[in-house]
Amino acid sequence: MRFKYLTWINRVKSNIQLPNTYRHLSIPEGIRSAMSRNPSKIAYKHGDKKRTYKDLVQRMDRISSGLLHHLNPSEDHLAIVASNSIEYMEIVLGASQAGIPIATVNPKLSDKEIQAICDDAEAKILFVDKASYRTLEHVVFLTVEKIVVIENELEDWIINSKPTIEAPIVMEWDVFTMPYTSGTTGKPKGVLVPHRSRILTLFGMAVEYGCYSPDDRFLAIAPMCHGAGMIFSLAPIFFGGYAEIMDSFEPEVVLKTMKNDNITGFFGVPTHFHGILNLEQSILNNAKSHQLKSIISNAAALPQQAKERIIEQFGEGLLHETYGSTEGGIISNLRPDDQLKKLQCVGQAFPCTEIKILTESGNICEPNEVGELFSTSPYLFNGYWKRPDETKEALVDGWLTVGDMARQDEDGYLYIVDRKKDMVISGGVNIYPREIEDVLHNHPNIQDVAVIGVPDEKWGESLKAFIVTHHPNVLKSEEVLSFCEENISKIKTPKIIEFIGTIPRNASGKVLKTTLRKNS
């Protein structure tokens, strides 16, 4: 089957005549179809702002028109540095319809980091919100010719653009967005995400999560600059539903919104769930929602203890833990019925996805044998922007690896062991810090933890644990070591314990171990 698929791709690349009925997959066209069913329906809400499907499509069209007036879709790129908003999605959709790749840049990065990404992306137009503009107004970019401050100039842009456009034909394998990797293991890379990848992901999500019908109401709080935040903000409106956008995370406000606005679906990262579950029990009890169909966690590992607390708070039959990457889209999902059966597990392969785990010599691993995880699906990226060597490393004969070590049990359920680059070799033994972190998360006085390898003259590397406690000065290093020795082997027990105020994480909740290593 794969041979036939590759042959078809080669024929398309050879400009074979497509059938007259062929239509390229398009997110804007999906939203336009949803609009035709109910133009006056509210698609997005953000604070006091609301946008009907009709208004959303009209503004998307005008943004496309303005972009095509300024840029060449076959050559140019643009970038956006902003917090979540309806306008953010309108700009992304307008760029998508115009066939112009957009780099979605994390506004929490430093001005130098943002400058480096925009220069690397060769962005000619930069959209920013007011807060980001104050940071960037004195920055000299290499390629940016125009900066548009969303709050000040976007409305003029829309008003002055013609309402009708003759949009170019955007092929589904062309680039939709260009998010940049978080840089947790090195320099950020531009990920070339095709339209086809994200559209098929949307259909897979609708099947898997059951909260994306036209009647559903989704709460979108994850940063849109990241792949997950983007796709979980798009899915509701692609299928004709409703999405409420938040640009900051306030746990109590999130709970009240879920209850008062009859939210049926919610996506969060472990940091969000941690903030919610740390609220006073009286607040948690008063804010229980009976409309929720699905709670989805992604971006970083969700400790088993946290899963159990989420189920206790929100009820059974709701929680999904999804594993994926910007490059590979959603790769696996642990469905609600398995949350308390398969511990520290990320489930089975996502629809239309194949998974294999290989040894260093390239052989298929036996059940429960740890190896490098590879996946293949219609959701894969096109490659890294201007990084052919890194692309070649990540894509091997149509299979993707992002350097995660994993195992599968006898039932085919997937367990992420750790990042390959985070593996510690101590005394010649491979040790995966995530296993130790999972154990330490079960200690009643430990709130957060990260484990890294540090140089050791005798052992090559030894383990160091950074620990955040629930209450300062309550827990001692000796107690932590004793707890480890009771639950894991001696060689996996950290030799160094450091108590800190917070574990450094990026906006997706991933631990910044490079930062911890620099400070060790």
Side-chain angles (χ1 to χ4, degrees):
M1 291 298 292
R2 186 161 294 113
F3 173 77
K4 291 181 181 179
Y5 170 75
L6 291 173
T7 301
W8 181 82
I9 286 292
N10 290 334
R11 291 172 69 195
V12 169
K13 289 181 178 178
S14 301
N15 296 318
I16 189 171
Q17 183 68 42
L18 295 171
N20 292 333
T21 54
Y22 186 86
R23 290 180 62 187
H24 287 281
L25 297 172
S26 165
I27 290 177
E29 285 307 305
I31 295 169
R32 199 182 302 278
S33 296
M35 185 270 292
S36 69
R37 292 198 295 269
N38 193 349
S40 61
K41 181 177 180 177
I42 300 297
Y44 279 130
K45 179 178 181 291
H46 175 221
D48 295 330
K49 289 184 180 180
K50 295 180 180 179
R51 198 78 83 230
T52 66
Y53 272 90
K54 180 179 179 181
D55 289 340
L56 179 65
V57 169
Q58 288 179 343
R59 290 167 64 85
M60 174 182 75
D61 288 349
R62 287 176 177 265
I63 289 172
S64 295
S65 179
L67 289 173
L68 290 169
H69 179 74
H70 288 87
L71 300 176
N72 183 339
S74 64
E75 298 177 1
D76 296 335
H77 294 166
L78 60 117
I80 182 168
V81 185
S83 298
N84 290 358
S85 67
I86 299 173
E87 290 82 3
Y88 194 114
M89 296 307 303
E90 290 171 338
I91 292 165
V92 169
L93 292 170
S96 169
Q97 186 169 242
I100 301 170
I102 180 169
T104 54
V105 188
N106 187 348
K108 292 185 178 180
L109 296 176
S110 69
D111 56 351
K112 290 183 179 180
E113 290 171 315
I114 292 172
Q115 178 186 22
I117 289 175
C118 290
D119 288 346
D120 182 77
E122 299 177 4
K124 286 197 172 181
I125 296 179
L126 175 60
F127 290 90
V128 298
D129 57 17
K130 280 184 179 179
S132 299
Y133 183 68
R134 285 194 290 270
T135 302
L136 300 172
E137 60 180 323
H138 300 298
V139 172
V140 178
F141 295 95
L142 293 178
T143 60
V144 172
E145 298 173 355
K146 182 179 180 62
I147 295 179
V148 179
V149 181
I150 294 170
E151 295 89 337
N152 297 349
E153 301 164 272
L154 184 63
E155 293 307 313
D156 290 340
W157 176 298
I158 290 172
I159 291 169
N160 293 330
S161 297
K162 294 180 181 180
T164 57
I165 59 170
E166 187 176 340
I169 295 175
V170 180
M171 292 184 286
E172 60 190 48
W173 44 81
D174 287 343
V175 178
F176 165 52
T177 56
M178 190 162 60
Y180 272 70
T181 59
S182 58
T184 54
T185 58
K187 186 177 179 181
K189 300 183 288 289
V191 180
L192 302 176
V193 177
H195 299 263
R196 172 183 171 83
S197 159
R198 290 307 179 251
I199 294 162
L200 293 179
T201 297
L202 293 174
F203 283 103
M205 290 165 61
V207 169
E208 193 75 4
Y209 302 129
C211 61
Y212 291 118
S213 76
D215 297 324
D216 281 306
R217 300 168 63 82
F218 203 84
L219 183 61
I221 66 171
M224 293 172 176
C225 57
H226 293 288
M230 174 66 67
I231 198 71
F232 281 101
S233 300
L234 277 172
I237 62 167
F238 186 79
F239 295 108
Y242 163 90
E244 185 152 348
I245 296 169
M246 290 186 174
D247 55 33
S248 63
F249 174 64
E250 298 177 47
E252 192 169 352
V253 174
V254 167
L255 285 182
K256 287 181 178 178
T257 302
M258 284 185 188
K259 181 179 181 180
N260 297 337
D261 290 5
N262 297 319
I263 297 298
T264 60
F266 167 69
F267 164 75
V269 302
T271 304
H272 295 146
F273 295 110
H274 175 75
I276 290 171
L277 296 173
N278 269 1
L279 292 170
E280 293 181 10
Q281 192 60 47
S282 60
I283 297 173
L284 292 172
N285 291 340
N286 291 333
K288 285 194 174 182
S289 170
H290 300 290
Q291 303 297 320
L292 276 174
K293 294 181 180 178
S294 299
I295 299 171
I296 306 156
S297 178
N298 178 240
L302 189 61
Q304 189 66 33
Q305 185 183 46
K307 293 183 185 183
E308 293 169 7
R309 290 195 64 198
I310 291 169
I311 293 169
E312 181 183 351
Q313 171 62 31
F314 295 100
E316 296 183 2
L318 301 177
L319 179 62
H320 297 256
E321 184 178 15
T322 288
Y323 162 75
S325 64
T326 309
E327 295 92 332
I330 300 173
I331 294 170
S332 72
N333 182 48
L334 184 67
R335 309 190 81 197
D337 287 349
D338 295 319
Q339 289 296 335
L340 301 181
K341 299 175 185 176
K342 298 287 185 176
L343 306 185
Q344 295 301 144
C345 178
V346 292
Q348 296 172 301
F350 199 66
C352 302
T353 299
E354 293 180 60
I355 290 172
K356 65 181 179 181
I357 299 174
L358 301 182
T359 64
E360 287 188 14
S361 58
N363 297 319
I364 297 290
C365 287
E366 297 294 328
N368 292 310
E369 182 182 3
V370 174
E372 189 168 356
L373 172 63
F374 289 79
S375 69
T376 187
S377 73
Y379 317 130
L380 301 189
F381 74 146
N382 287 351
Y384 295 114
W385 169 242
K386 299 193 302 182
R387 301 285 187 89
D389 292 339
E390 285 92 334
T391 299
K392 190 175 180 180
E393 288 178 14
L395 291 171
V396 182
D397 297 328
W399 290 80
L400 169 75
T401 175
V402 293
D404 283 336
M405 305 299 286
R407 65 180 178 87
Q408 277 184 301
D409 66 17
E410 294 83 354
D411 301 321
Y413 283 77
L414 182 67
Y415 300 78
I416 304 301
V417 176
D418 216 328
R419 297 282 297 174
K420 189 175 183 179
K421 293 181 180 179
D422 289 338
M423 184 180 74
V424 175
I425 303 176
S426 183
V429 177
N430 294 348
I431 302 172
Y432 298 99
R434 180 166 169 172
E435 180 185 357
I436 300 131
E437 292 163 356
D438 289 341
V439 169
L440 288 171
H441 270 296
N442 290 322
H443 193 289
N445 289 329
I446 293 179
Q447 177 177 302
D448 203 1
V449 61
V451 177
I452 64 169
V454 294
D456 186 297
E457 288 186 7
K458 181 178 180 180
W459 302 106
E461 286 183 291
S462 59
L463 297 169
K464 179 176 181 178
F466 294 87
I467 291 174
V468 179
T469 59
H470 287 290
H471 305 287
N473 305 318
V474 172
L475 193 60
K476 304 296 182 184
S477 296
E478 294 77 11
E479 296 175 63
V480 175
L481 296 174
S482 176
F483 182 81
C484 287
E485 289 169 1
E486 292 172 4
N487 291 279
I488 51 178
S489 63
K490 188 173 181 179
I491 194 171
K492 296 178 183 178
T493 297
K495 287 186 167 54
I496 307 168
I497 305 294
E498 182 175 334
F499 296 98
I500 59 176
T502 57
I503 301 293
R505 296 177 181 271
N506 65 16
S508 296
K510 293 180 181 178
V511 175
L512 298 173
K513 292 197 173 181
T514 50
T515 301
L516 292 174
R517 292 187 188 102
K518 287 178 184 177
N519 297 331
S520 294

